[in-house]
Amino acid sequence: MNALTLHYHPLSSCCHKVLIAIDVLGIEVDKRLLNLGDPGERAAHLALWPTGKMPLLMDGLRPVPETSIIIEYLQRHHARPGRTLIPDTPDAALDVRLWDRLFDLYVMTPMQALTADLLRPEGQRDAHAVAKAREGLSSAYGFIDRHLEGRTWVAGDAFSMADCAAAPALFYALAYVPLPPQHGHLAAYVERLMDHPSVALTIDQARPYFKFFPGRSGLSHRFFDPATT
């Protein structure tokens, strides 16, 4: 059995970020689908890592949590020769880490807030929090679009950890807050992301689960067609 085990769910945006990186880095892992709604599975997962969050990488008996840490750990210890997502040059590496955090904090987080609100009973939904999350996404789209002018990838000439973070964050966020027409740089970038082989593979593997995504009505029919589900 492979010493590397990834505890994950194929619908999770955070898991997508790591799955994309695993494919880019050319690493073989045992993927263990995690159902946190099952009390037994949740208890076993909490015994591995007390926050209970996923994904969680296990390298033998060593738990490696948190998406950015997992990716950096995998690159450092398990990537195929020549495969990288974080450059060796310190300043370039900082730029990748910066944009990785920006996508996690300013796109992924408000997107997850919108998802969480839909999972609440209708009488417990928070219209103020929803409006704030939507405004946050609109603001993020604007500064990302400006940054992308003249760029192929978000942090340098090569696909990086920052793009691993961007792909699932934007994929799900756009189901809630579509891009306005003036953000052409970001729109083109999203198309490049969706066409990247590792991103496309991760999305394709998640297709059977999109029917469970609370914001599925906003997904492009390119990825999810309710009529064929």
Side-chain angles (χ1 to χ4, degrees):
M1 182 178 289
N2 198 314
L4 292 173
T5 303
L6 185 74
H7 298 262
Y8 85 113
H9 193 282
L11 190 58
S12 161
S13 55
C14 292
C15 294
H16 282 200
K17 176 179 169 181
V18 171
L19 290 167
I20 292 164
I22 285 170
D23 191 65
V24 172
L25 295 173
I27 300 169
E28 293 293 330
V29 302
D30 291 323
K31 298 174 186 175
R32 190 164 300 174
L33 194 147
L34 181 61
N35 176 13
L36 291 176
D38 180 276
E41 285 194 39
R42 183 170 182 80
H45 189 61
L46 286 168
L48 293 175
W49 188 246
T51 70
K53 290 184 177 181
M54 60 176 171
L56 176 69
L57 179 74
M58 295 295 297
D59 191 350
L61 297 177
R62 178 178 181 175
V64 184
E66 301 298 329
T67 57
S68 303
I69 302 302
I70 292 171
I71 293 170
E72 191 151 357
Y73 180 88
L74 287 171
Q75 176 172 307
R76 185 172 298 181
H77 297 289
H78 296 285
R80 288 186 185 178
R83 304 279 187 101
T84 61
L85 285 165
I86 304 167
D88 293 329
T89 306
D91 284 350
L94 282 176
D95 200 34
V96 167
R97 293 186 182 101
L98 168 64
W99 281 94
D100 170 73
R101 299 309 301 141
L102 290 175
F103 275 104
D104 278 358
L105 292 172
Y106 297 103
V107 182
M108 186 91 74
T109 297
M111 175 276 292
Q112 290 174 334
L114 293 169
T115 298
D117 192 76
L118 287 177
L119 291 172
R120 296 188 184 104
E122 190 166 343
Q124 298 177 22
R125 292 181 181 170
D126 187 340
H128 176 73
V130 166
K132 184 177 179 181
R134 289 181 175 275
E135 288 170 8
L137 283 175
S138 295
S139 175
Y141 292 168
F143 75 72
I144 295 166
D145 182 76
R146 291 190 296 272
H147 172 76
L148 283 166
E149 184 175 2
R151 295 172 180 266
T152 300
W153 303 113
V154 78
D157 296 330
F159 187 94
S160 73
M161 179 171 71
D163 302 294
C164 294
L170 289 167
F171 178 81
Y172 285 120
L174 292 172
Y176 295 120
V177 181
L179 282 180
Q182 67 267 28
H183 291 336
H185 304 305
L186 180 52
Y189 172 66
V190 169
E191 289 304 309
R192 288 193 293 276
L193 282 174
M194 296 304 106
D195 288 339
H196 188 280
S198 298
V199 175
L201 174 64
T202 300
I203 290 173
D204 192 56
Q205 291 174 341
R207 285 178 192 272
Y209 299 88
F210 287 152
K211 61 187 176 184
F212 302 116
F213 171 52
R216 58 190 173 274
S217 63
L219 291 175
S220 166
H221 283 193
R222 171 183 171 188
F223 305 109
F224 174 71
D225 185 354
T228 62
T229 301

